[in-house]
Amino acid sequence: MSPPFDSLALRQVSLELKGSIIGAQVQKIRQPDPFTVLIRFHGNGKSRWLLLCAQADLFRAHFTTRTFSNPQEPPVFCMALRKYLEGGRVTAVEQAGADRVLRIEVASTWGRLLLIADLMGRHSNLILVAEDGTILEAIKHVGSTMSRRVVLPGRQYAPLPPTGKPSLWDASDAELSSLWAAAPIPVTRAWLLDTFGGMSPALAATVLATADPKATLDTIVASVRSGATGESPSEALDAGYEAQASVSQRDSLLRQLNAKLDKEGTVLRRRLADLDAIEERGLRAEEWRIAGELLSANAHGIERGTVSVSLPNYYSPDLTPMVIALDPTLSARENAQAYFARSRKAKTTAERAPALRSEVGVRLAELEAIRSQAAQADESELLGLAGTGQGQPPAPASKSRRSESEYPSGVRIKRFTSDEGWQIWIGENATGNDYLTTRLSDPGDIWMHVRAAASAHGVIRTNKHPEKVPHATLRRAAELVAAKSEAKSSSVIAVDYTLRRYVRKPRGAAPGRVTYTNEKTIEVSGAED
């Protein structure tokens, strides 16, 4: 079990930092997860990593010797810290009174900056503040609807309001003694917490567990003030939090994954309801066609402005009249064309509905399988499953997209679905490449082509979120593109990829000929589709 990170722990850590990093240079900064920052300081011939964590259940600050994996792209807060702090030197370290607030002052080319760690449960935050008090960036943005203490770039940093309680670590001995003079007999937990700044439930429990609470607290305070705290507080904290962090990280990953599965499941079930409505409209396609035929046959006798007509139904054995609602702003023939269009659309979409329903059903089953696996998975397995349930792939069908059989004559495009649920479309000929790139894909889709060789064009449909596409899907798409290239027999094939918005077809170019920019490259081995 990790030691509590209370005011006492922070005071011990702040004293350790004062003796270690003042005058040291900020060398490297990393952000391994959304709430944790690692900073490497170098001074006196020694380098040490400082961990600052603003996660609600793991908030803390201490040196660490643990290793952490880094994301492929640094988060915004990490980039801000690198911009403003790297190369700077630490000029001061302090705890703000008895509050769980750590301030590290760094002199850099941008002036004297403050990195402030508010370490207060769910309100924990890491905030970078300029010399004039302006917030440059924060690991958590807090708007006015979330708290009266707004934490947003460009706003002034607001320190915590004073508690009015004397600090255990800064008050004079005489002041502390006068407070003890008013202590109840026996001393209570509530009195300790209400009287002393820096008193935590854990410290109060320690004090009250002894025969002489005052003497015990005096000894602790004197030890802290003298810096004689025994072993390094960072070593104890680092060891204590390692196991807890692993469990917490697993729980956090599981919650995030389940939330994503819930969100995608909601979208898919809504899609099923839409398909129900589509099939119901399909049942009326013949009725609307007949209405159009009757209006066309009787158009000469129907005036514009009519809201409905009753016409003999020639398709009914007994000529039962059909009452047909009309748009009074249209002529009879225009109303007839509207009914024909409605009939065609209802019939076409209804014919596609069973296949789409099957796709949705398959994905829903996949989500439940992922959820079952996740419940028993460890942290590393959860990271793998997060790719399977990552983000929210586009819905299995889009009303604006054609099915494979509806492309124009000569256009050949093949569709795949990655193991992670993302749509991959591959052009099978020059006209297919051209149509896929210029007509079917969206600007935010990921576009692919083998570098310096003739190949298929590939597109990963991203639903406007290319950043959520898992690496496994990216690699699968690259393998499919490579397999449709003149370099397919090569042992290593370089496949360029970029957003489709950076792909251009030169004026007058032959089908499939394009230029592109902002590309990255992924290497795959020769693959078969």
Side-chain angles (χ1 to χ4, degrees):
M1 183 67 180
S2 61
F5 198 84
D6 54 8
S7 177
L8 169 59
L10 181 56
R11 178 54 60 111
Q12 293 173 320
V13 168
S14 67
L15 292 173
E16 184 181 21
L17 295 182
K18 281 184 179 181
S20 302
I21 66 171
I22 290 182
Q25 185 180 49
V26 179
Q27 284 193 326
K28 290 186 178 181
I29 299 174
R30 297 175 179 173
Q31 186 177 341
D33 64 54
F35 304 117
T36 304
V37 165
L38 296 166
I39 305 175
R40 190 168 82 174
F41 297 97
H42 182 78
N44 299 320
K46 186 176 182 179
S47 294
R48 302 188 74 175
W49 284 98
L50 174 65
L51 180 149
L52 300 172
C53 181
Q55 188 170 320
D57 55 344
L58 291 172
F59 59 92
R60 64 200 193 276
H62 56 78
F63 288 123
T64 183
T65 57
R66 296 170 56 201
T67 57
F68 296 80
S69 58
N70 253 359
Q72 291 185 347
E73 297 292 334
V76 172
F77 185 64
C78 182
M79 290 192 290
L81 293 184
R82 289 175 177 176
K83 173 182 176 180
Y84 289 105
L85 299 185
E86 282 189 349
R89 290 192 179 274
V90 179
T91 54
V93 177
E94 66 172 358
Q95 179 184 9
D99 291 328
R100 286 177 293 176
V101 177
L102 178 67
R103 299 168 181 261
I104 302 174
E105 183 182 87
V106 177
S108 77
T109 55
W110 299 88
R112 291 188 177 273
L113 307 179
L114 273 179
L115 177 57
I116 301 173
D118 287 349
L119 304 171
M120 301 170 296
R122 63 188 181 90
H123 299 295
S124 296
N125 208 341
L126 304 179
I127 308 164
L128 181 63
V129 180
E131 197 166 0
D132 63 359
T134 302
I135 296 173
L136 298 174
E137 191 53 86
I139 206 164
K140 297 179 185 177
H141 288 185
V142 182
S144 57
T145 59
M146 303 166 64
S147 171
R148 287 180 294 181
R149 190 165 174 256
V150 176
V151 181
L152 292 172
R155 301 290 290 266
Q156 283 290 303
Y157 173 76
L160 289 175
T163 63
K165 295 184 288 187
S167 166
L168 280 171
W169 325 122
D170 303 308
S172 66
D173 291 340
E175 188 174 6
L176 294 179
S177 294
S178 67
L179 293 172
W180 274 108
I185 301 174
V187 177
T188 64
R189 177 179 182 274
W191 181 82
L192 290 171
L193 293 174
D194 292 341
T195 302
F196 299 105
M199 179 64 66
S200 67
L203 180 56
T206 299
V207 169
L208 292 175
T210 63
D212 189 343
K214 180 180 183 305
T216 301
L217 186 60
D218 286 346
T219 300
I220 293 172
V221 170
S223 175
V224 170
R225 290 179 176 181
S226 68
T229 57
E231 66 174 324
S232 162
S234 285
E235 289 180 9
L237 288 164
D238 199 27
Y241 274 100
E242 183 171 6
Q244 185 176 338
S246 178
V247 173
S248 178
Q249 179 70 5
R250 182 201 175 276
D251 291 344
S252 177
L253 286 170
L254 182 59
R255 286 194 300 271
Q256 293 173 31
L257 177 58
N258 282 332
K260 290 177 180 179
L261 296 177
D262 290 341
K263 183 177 180 180
E264 185 179 352
T266 298
V267 172
L268 293 175
R269 283 185 284 273
R270 191 179 300 131
R271 181 63 177 156
L272 287 178
D274 291 342
L275 291 172
D276 289 340
I278 286 172
E279 290 178 328
E280 289 178 8
R281 287 195 295 272
L283 298 175
R284 300 192 63 187
E286 182 63 10
E287 173 190 339
W288 291 331
R289 184 193 68 79
I290 291 173
E293 296 285 0
L294 297 180
L295 287 173
S296 296
N298 295 277
H300 59 281
I302 302 173
E303 297 181 358
R304 188 187 295 269
T306 303
V307 296
S308 68
V309 292
S310 179
L311 301 174
N313 185 356
Y314 306 123
Y315 297 89
S316 172
D318 53 3
L319 299 181
T320 302
M322 175 182 280
V323 177
I324 305 173
L326 303 176
D327 182 343
T329 64
L330 303 178
S331 68
R333 294 194 182 280
E334 289 170 337
N335 270 290
Q337 292 305 312
Y339 271 107
F340 287 141
R342 188 187 302 180
S343 174
R344 286 194 300 272
K345 183 176 180 180
K347 182 179 179 181
T348 300
T349 55
E351 288 173 348
R352 295 170 55 198
L356 303 183
R357 185 183 297 279
S358 176
E359 289 186 28
V360 174
V362 168
R363 183 56 182 167
L364 282 171
E366 289 175 351
L367 297 185
E368 288 308 308
I370 295 169
R371 194 187 303 276
S372 297
Q373 288 178 266
Q376 307 297 325
D378 60 23
E379 183 178 338
S380 60
E381 291 169 335
L382 279 173
L383 288 170
L385 288 172
T388 311
Q390 182 171 353
Q392 182 186 322
S398 171
K399 291 185 287 186
S400 64
R401 299 296 171 194
R402 297 174 180 265
S403 68
E404 293 182 40
S405 61
E406 293 178 286
Y407 297 137
S409 176
V411 171
R412 291 172 53 201
I413 296 171
K414 195 166 184 179
R415 297 186 181 187
F416 301 84
T417 301
S418 74
D419 292 340
E420 297 75 39
W422 296 75
Q423 292 275 322
I424 303 172
W425 296 352
I426 305 294
E428 300 244 280
N429 57 8
T431 53
N433 285 339
D434 191 84
Y435 194 77
L436 173 60
T437 299
T438 63
R439 299 288 299 278
L440 276 186
S441 53
D442 291 331
D445 290 344
I446 294 176
W447 180 92
M448 289 186 164
H449 191 279
V450 170
R451 172 179 290 184
S455 82
H457 293 195
V459 164
I460 302 174
R461 301 280 293 128
T462 70
N463 205 21
K464 299 181 181 179
H465 289 288
E467 76 283 357
K468 294 184 178 180
V469 175
H471 184 75
T473 291
L474 197 67
R475 176 163 291 278
R476 174 58 176 154
E479 290 172 347
L480 291 169
V481 168
K484 293 289 184 180
S485 74
E486 62 183 9
K488 64 183 179 182
S489 58
S490 301
S491 57
V492 177
I493 304 171
V495 179
D496 288 342
Y497 64 97
T498 186
L499 294 182
R500 207 273 290 151
R501 62 168 54 95
Y502 300 126
V503 181
R504 296 286 182 271
K505 179 180 179 180
R507 181 174 298 179
R513 294 293 300 275
V514 296
T515 61
Y516 54 91
T517 57
N518 294 58
E519 71 273 17
K520 296 180 180 179
T521 303
I522 184 171
E523 293 184 343
V524 298
S525 57
E528 297 179 359
D529 57 0

